[in-house]
Amino acid sequence: MAKTEQIHMSSDRRQPALSIKALRKEYRPGQPVLRNINLDIAEPGITAIIGPSGTGKSTLIRCINRLVNPTAGEIWFDGIDMAGLDRRDLRKARRHIGMVFQEYNLVERLSVIENVLCGRLGYVPAWRAFFRRFPEKDVERAFQLLDSVGLGADFATRRADQLSGGQRQRVGIARALMQEPKLMLADEPTSSLDPKTSVEIMELLSALSTQGAIPVLVNIHNVGLARRFAGRIVGMSEGEVVFDGPPSDITDEDLAKIYGGEGWYS
Amino acid sequence: MSTSPAPNPASWRSRAFPARWNKRMAWLGLLLYVIYATSIIDVTWERFVRGIANGGTFLARMFPPETAPERMALVYSGLLESIQIAILSTFFGVLLSLPIALLAARNLMPPMVSWAARGVIAICRSFHYVIVSILFVKAVGFGALAGILALIVATIGFVAKLFAEAVEEMSMKPVEALRATGAPFFSIIFLAVLPQVAARFIGFTTYQLDSNLRNSTMVGIVGGGGIGATLFTAYRRFDYDLVLTILIATIILIMIAEALATRLRRIFQ
């Protein structure tokens, strides 16, 4: 249903887009949330991280673009270690990582098109952003992206707080794509949405990922959606990766290992 | 697991609404102090009655209000100066409040910076604007400049404090999202912070313009210029009919200002 022809191909390398090595995060000393995470993301398509609440999925995703600072370990993205960057270089590196949030995180009082153009803020000086003097080609692309995520141009000047949840998430995805990302992170993108809209959003992410050749790393606690849309599933439990493989390989024993208990998955 | 409740209904009520003795003692203490203070500072019924009579004579001497053209010109130029004081002090006060408030917001700034900015705001708030005007009259001399400076301080104390609180109450989610795009600090301020608080900021500003107008009539009494200066002179010369004219003119000015402020808010929201 979404038209995605206009998305530019943005991947011309064959090295892994993301390589996480021995990542550790402690919010309180001695109480690790992430223990020893090793993960390579190379291929475009959706990689789903599943696991019980509080097991560090969200922390893992936020460590990648340093919204959360890791305690130890390396995060290699596009040839640089994100963990070692100072503020200026971090800002530059973040421009290439798009992020989609559970509660959309739009600026409610701005229009839809302004929210989409926020994806260019890393490239545009602050005074230009203040006067909304975005380059003409950026604005043109913002309109194209609105179309690609299934919202028409007539949505452009509507205020974000007038949209439904599904529409807001589409704007959130368009904002992330506006960055022309080499990697997309999605933190529970469907958890605030109804089942039907959830499927539509996952279909959209999946299509964009394939057509733009962008790897997408998704936190998701709906195992059904993960199985249906992901090409690879990473199962986490108590801050560690306990399963890593294609959805077809995941067994009831694996699910029991990830979530604990038994019988609930049948 | 728990003891069964007592069957006695009276004990049910005392369990639901336990007696709060410290509250009762506080009210009793306040009552006792009011009685004590009244007895100390020579407040008597007789004095009150005599005062009412004096007030009546004073009011009678105010009528009819002064309308002679040369006196009206005096009132007019005084009012004009008060309006100028109010507008200029609001403009510069709000302009200074913006950066101070952003520095004071604890969700955007490291603790060191926000505490320093909070200190500045606290100093601006700690003195009444009349006291601040007296200081500025001593510093820069009689006239409107002293009044403007005093009201700039008052404006920072009010607008910066409330604006900082508004920034602290906003949602951090859009800020997080814009950080994730690699946006520079000022872009985040312009596109994630200001849109969320702009409406409230306009509200504070129009409210402050309104109260600066009222305050600007007051700074004149200590030498800060404006209609207050004219009023004070009229009082000292027992020109009570001119006093009444000034009071009526001031009331009309404040009412017009309030209507305009409501209009302004509606335009910006």
Side-chain angles (χ1 to χ4, degrees), chain A residues 62 65 67 91 94-95 97 99 101 103 105-107 109-110 118-119 121-122 124 126 129-130 132 175 179, chain B residues 172-188 190-192 194-197 199 269:
Chain A
R62 282 174 159 73
N65 61 1
L67 286 178
R91 211 167 66 61
R94 276 175 174 169
R95 301 189 300 193
I97 305 177
M99 188 157 184
F101 299 84
E103 291 178 66
N105 293 20
L106 304 182
V107 186
R109 284 183 160 259
L110 294 185
C118 278
L121 288 181
V124 171
F130 181 80
R132 308 294 192 265
R175 174 175 64 192
Q179 293 173 241
Chain B
M172 286 302 279
K173 289 179 183 296
V175 175
E176 184 191 39
L178 263 53
R179 262 184 199 146
T181 69
F185 176 77
F186 281 103
S187 293
I188 294 175
F190 295 150
L191 277 115
L194 291 186
Q196 289 196 68
V197 294
Q269 263 156 16

Side-chain angles (χ1 to χ4, degrees), chain A residues 103-161:
Chain A
E103 291 178 66
Y104 333 121
N105 293 20
L106 304 182
V107 186
E108 304 270 295
R109 284 183 160 259
L110 294 185
S111 69
V112 166
I113 199 82
E114 282 173 318
N115 269 292
V116 176
L117 282 164
C118 278
R120 295 309 289 175
L121 288 181
Y123 299 92
V124 171
W127 70 268
R128 274 188 172 267
F130 181 80
F131 291 110
R132 308 294 192 265
R133 290 181 57 92
F134 291 96
E136 188 64 25
K137 68 170 172 43
D138 284 357
V139 182
E140 190 190 343
R141 204 173 113 80
F143 274 102
Q144 285 173 0
L145 280 173
L146 269 189
D147 212 40
S148 310
V149 298
L151 297 173
D154 42 326
F155 275 92
T157 51
R158 275 213 234 165
R159 240 168 67 164
D161 55 9

Side-chain angles (χ1 to χ4, degrees), chain B residues 254-264:
Chain B
I254 299 298
M255 284 166 73
I256 293 173
E258 199 156 320
L260 278 179
T262 316
R263 268 275 164 87
L264 265 177

Side-chain angles (χ1 to χ4, degrees), chain B:
Chain B
M1 186 177 94
S2 66
T3 57
S4 62
N8 181 0
S11 83
W12 279 112
R13 196 185 300 149
S14 62
R15 185 182 291 197
F17 312 105
R20 295 164 65 179
W21 280 101
N22 38 10
K23 195 170 151 191
R24 290 180 191 178
M25 293 313 287
W27 279 112
L28 185 69
L30 180 65
L31 185 68
L32 287 175
Y33 179 76
V34 168
I35 293 170
Y36 167 76
T38 314
S39 70
I40 286 289
I41 60 163
D42 189 30
V43 176
T44 63
W45 184 246
E46 188 204 347
R47 242 191 100 181
F48 180 67
V49 172
R50 196 155 18 98
I52 293 254
N54 282 343
T57 329
F58 172 62
L59 279 177
R61 283 185 59 188
M62 280 179 153
F63 278 101
E66 178 73 76
T67 50
E70 75 273 12
R71 292 303 193 73
M72 290 305 277
L74 216 61
V75 174
Y76 177 73
S77 69
L79 275 181
L80 209 65
E81 194 173 46
S82 280
I83 294 172
Q84 285 160 351
I85 292 173
I87 290 177
L88 287 177
S89 61
T90 308
F91 180 78
F92 288 109
V94 164
L95 213 63
L96 289 170
S97 295
L98 247 161
I100 294 175
L102 288 172
L103 290 173
R106 279 169 293 195
N107 51 352
L108 295 179
M109 291 291 157
M112 284 280 284
V113 178
S114 69
W115 279 113
R118 269 154 196 280
V120 172
I121 296 173
I123 290 167
C124 288
R125 285 176 71 75
S126 50
F127 295 106
H128 194 265
Y129 64 90
V130 171
I131 295 176
V132 180
S133 326
I134 294 172
L135 291 178
F136 277 118
V137 168
K138 284 284 169 209
V140 302
F142 286 93
L145 180 62
I148 290 170
L149 292 174
L151 290 183
I152 285 176
V153 171
T155 302
I156 293 171
F158 179 83
V159 176
K161 182 188 160 77
L162 290 188
F163 189 43
E165 273 167 19
V167 171
E168 284 178 355
E169 283 164 19
M170 73 175 181
S171 164
M172 286 302 279
K173 289 179 183 296
V175 175
E176 184 191 39
L178 263 53
R179 262 184 199 146
T181 69
F185 176 77
F186 281 103
S187 293
I188 294 175
I189 296 291
F190 295 150
L191 277 115
V193 177
L194 291 186
Q196 289 196 68
V197 294
R200 295 185 67 188
F201 187 58
I202 298 294
F204 301 147
T205 303
T206 52
Y207 181 86
Q208 188 61 28
L209 178 63
D210 192 33
S211 66
N212 273 352
L213 254 180
R214 242 168 305 135
N215 298 350
S216 72
T217 61
M218 191 65 202
V219 291
I221 289 178
V222 294
I227 190 75
T230 325
L231 179 69
F232 193 54
T233 316
Y235 257 120
R236 277 202 305 206
R237 293 169 59 190
F238 307 106
D239 260 344
Y240 292 136
D241 35 8
L242 182 58
V243 167
L244 184 59
T245 306
I246 293 171
L247 291 182
I248 292 170
T250 308
I251 291 169
I252 293 172
L253 174 68
I254 299 298
M255 284 166 73
I256 293 173
E258 199 156 320
L260 278 179
T262 316
R263 268 275 164 87
L264 265 177
R265 253 179 299 233
R266 221 172 285 149
I267 291 171
F268 281 102
Q269 263 156 16

